[in-house]
Amino acid sequence: MSDSYVYIMTNRSRTLYTGVTNDIERRVYEHKHKVIKGFTSRYNIDKLVWYESFPDIEQAIEGEKKLKGWLRSKKVALIESQNPGWIDLSESWYRTVKPSSETIPGLGNCIRSERSEESRLRSNTSEILRRDQNDGSIGKRLPLESGRRDSSLRSE
């Protein structure tokens, strides 16, 4: 089985959020970009300040329940024992790129580092297909990234 994680995130005013996940990079990204509406999006929880891995999800859930039962002061002591500066531990997980045709629609300007090359290739492939589409060398219909079809490319 793969690792699961219990984590604590915070904001500028140090409001704490405790969670559990089987993919910490994805989940932190979702919090940072407010993908899911709820507590973390409402309170701008966007800094990962502590996490621990567990060999399976059942153990991680137990760890989360235990941590959620703690007083705030005990959670703060835990964070400060391992991360006294309250530094965002996920800061290096993502890289920001300048807005261009290479960004993935729906993800804005932040792309996971390990996927940026894949993203660039996908974008270049889409551009080549559009050019070929316009000169008539490929079929008449081409879906756009948003899932809509461009009416200017439809066959009569």
Side-chain angles (χ1 to χ4, degrees):
M1 274 192 222
S2 64
D3 284 346
S4 295
Y5 302 86
V6 175
Y7 60 95
I8 300 175
M9 292 187 69
T10 191
N11 59 11
R12 274 187 257 152
S13 62
R14 294 198 173 173
T15 302
L16 299 179
Y17 174 83
T18 304
V20 64
T21 185
N22 65 350
D23 184 344
I24 192 137
E25 286 187 38
R26 173 193 50 80
R27 191 66 181 117
V28 169
Y29 181 91
E30 291 170 349
H31 289 304
K32 285 179 174 282
H33 294 89
K34 301 177 176 132
V35 172
I36 299 169
K37 294 193 188 297
F39 182 87
T40 58
S41 62
R42 188 173 329 130
Y43 291 96
N44 297 313
I45 305 291
D46 61 357
K47 280 176 56 174
L48 177 68
V49 291
W50 179 88
Y51 68 96
E52 183 177 342
S53 66
F54 291 83
D56 62 60
I57 193 67
E58 289 82 16
Q59 289 178 356
I61 290 169
E62 285 303 311
E64 179 197 30
K65 287 178 181 178
K66 180 178 171 185
L67 201 60
K68 284 188 171 186
W70 288 6
L71 294 174
R72 176 185 170 79
S73 58
K74 192 169 179 180
K75 293 175 193 176
V76 168
L78 173 67
I79 294 164
E80 291 183 345
S81 72
Q82 296 177 24
N83 184 3
W86 291 61
I87 296 167
D88 184 356
L89 302 173
S90 68
E91 195 171 57
S92 65
W93 295 358
Y94 315 97
R95 73 176 182 93
T96 302
V97 295
K98 293 180 180 173
S100 72
S101 61
E102 294 184 17
T103 58
I104 299 172
L107 290 184
N109 296 332
C110 186
I111 300 173
R112 287 171 88 167
S113 299
E114 65 272 13
R115 299 204 181 194
S116 53
E117 180 64 14
E118 175 188 338
S119 155
R120 186 186 65 73
L121 292 172
R122 188 176 339 143
S123 179
N124 288 345
T125 302
S126 296
E127 183 58 34
I128 291 166
L129 287 173
R130 279 193 199 98
R131 273 191 251 129
D132 289 346
Q133 176 71 34
N134 290 336
D135 73 10
S137 60
I138 293 185
K140 298 291 183 185
R141 299 176 76 159
L142 181 68
L144 300 175
E145 285 78 20
S146 66
R148 296 176 294 126
R149 296 191 185 272
D150 187 338
S151 61
S152 66
L153 300 177
R154 290 190 182 151
S155 59
E156 310 308 325

